[in-house]
């Protein structure tokens, strides 16, 4: 009897764990119908400088426009950008990225959304969104504050702005193309 008990238990498990019949579908990643930074933003100030070899003063006052089919920053257009979104602790991100605390940088929130913006698998820049209307853009390892000025643009406005912007690419990430 002792020898048959493990065999009976094994048979019971094998018969109880059969495949379930039903309709299986692969769940696809949803497409974003809006940008995580949707709208028009303006660079208001330099938040923190970690690399003073680049003069960032000309960038202050520049528009940053983000939409699903295009983005504009500092007169440069990005057609069909890809937005990669993560969330992280502010203190950790500032310590690792800038060797500063969130208080040193002047960010109040405990968490930030990290939005990497790519075109053709090449990273152009990173934006840290603190609130719906306040974000920080990383330019060559320096943080500049963005303030939202308009919720969204209609398709015609965006198309006109995209046509006026330059087609060349500037890689603002610390390591261009990464």
């Amino acid at each position: 009897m002792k020898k048959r008990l493990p065999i009976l238990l094994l048979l019971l498990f094998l018969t109880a764990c059969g495949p379930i019949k039903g309709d299986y579908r692969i769940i696809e990643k949803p497409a974003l119908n809006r940008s995580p930074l949707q709208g028009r933003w303006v660079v208001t100030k330099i938040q923190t400088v970690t690399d003073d070899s680049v003069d960032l003063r000309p960038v202050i006052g520049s528009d940053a426009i983000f939409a699903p089919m295009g983005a504009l920053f500092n007169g440069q257009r990005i057609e069909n950008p890809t937005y990669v979104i993560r969330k992280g602790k502010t203190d950790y991100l500032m310590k690792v990225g800038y060797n500063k605390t969130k208080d040193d940088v002047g960010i109040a929130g405990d968490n930030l959304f990290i939005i990497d913006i790519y075109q053709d698998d090449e990273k152009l820049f990173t934006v840290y969104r603190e609130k719906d209307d306040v974000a920080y853009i990383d330019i060559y390892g320096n943080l500049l504050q963005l303030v939202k000025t308009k919720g969204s643009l209609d398709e015609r406005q965006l198309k006109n702005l995209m046509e006026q912007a330059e087609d060349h690419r500037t890689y603002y990430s610390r390591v261009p193309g990464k």
Side-chain angles (χ1 to χ4, degrees):
M1 179 71 179
K2 288 184 180 181
K3 292 181 180 179
R4 292 185 191 173
L5 186 60
I7 294 173
L8 288 174
L9 285 174
L10 183 61
L11 285 174
L12 177 67
F13 283 121
L14 289 175
T15 57
C17 297
I20 299 173
K21 295 180 182 177
D23 185 19
Y24 295 102
R25 294 187 181 150
I26 296 174
I27 299 173
E28 294 182 13
K29 181 180 174 184
L32 290 175
N33 60 356
R34 62 182 288 244
S35 159
L37 297 165
Q38 185 77 26
R40 177 176 265 178
W41 301 71
V42 66
V43 178
T44 57
K45 65 180 179 178
I46 300 170
Q47 196 71 21
T48 186
V49 175
T50 56
D51 179 9
D52 58 1
S53 66
V54 178
D55 184 17
L56 298 171
R57 289 177 290 171
V59 180
I60 295 175
S62 296
D63 280 335
I65 299 169
F66 302 102
M69 65 180 181
L72 295 161
F73 179 73
N74 199 20
Q76 169 186 302
R77 76 175 176 227
I78 303 156
E79 295 181 22
N80 300 314
T82 303
Y83 300 95
V84 178
I85 307 166
R86 304 180 312 268
K87 188 174 182 178
K89 296 286 185 187
T90 306
D91 271 331
Y92 176 77
L93 293 168
M94 295 301 110
K95 184 67 176 173
V96 170
Y98 307 96
N99 199 24
K100 297 179 184 267
T101 65
K102 71 178 188 172
D103 294 329
D104 294 340
V105 177
I107 298 176
D110 291 331
N111 295 304
L112 293 173
F113 287 99
I114 306 117
I115 302 138
D116 293 323
I117 301 171
Y118 292 84
Q119 183 175 23
D120 302 328
D121 297 328
E122 293 182 280
K123 183 175 169 182
L124 298 178
F125 43 81
T126 300
V127 177
Y128 300 96
R129 194 181 82 200
E130 180 181 13
K131 303 176 194 169
D132 286 340
D133 61 346
V134 177
Y136 306 91
I137 188 166
D138 184 306
I139 304 295
Y140 305 121
N142 305 292
L143 281 181
L144 283 70
Q145 185 181 56
L146 293 172
V147 174
K148 193 170 195 174
T149 59
K150 188 172 182 180
S152 63
L153 300 169
D154 65 31
E155 197 171 311
R156 186 182 97 275
Q157 289 173 321
L158 182 62
K159 184 178 178 184
N160 288 341
L161 289 170
M162 293 284 283
E163 288 173 356
Q164 295 171 4
E166 298 177 24
D167 193 24
H168 77 280
R169 294 185 205 170
T170 303
Y171 300 99
Y172 293 106
S173 67
R174 294 174 198 214
V175 182
K178 300 288 180 193

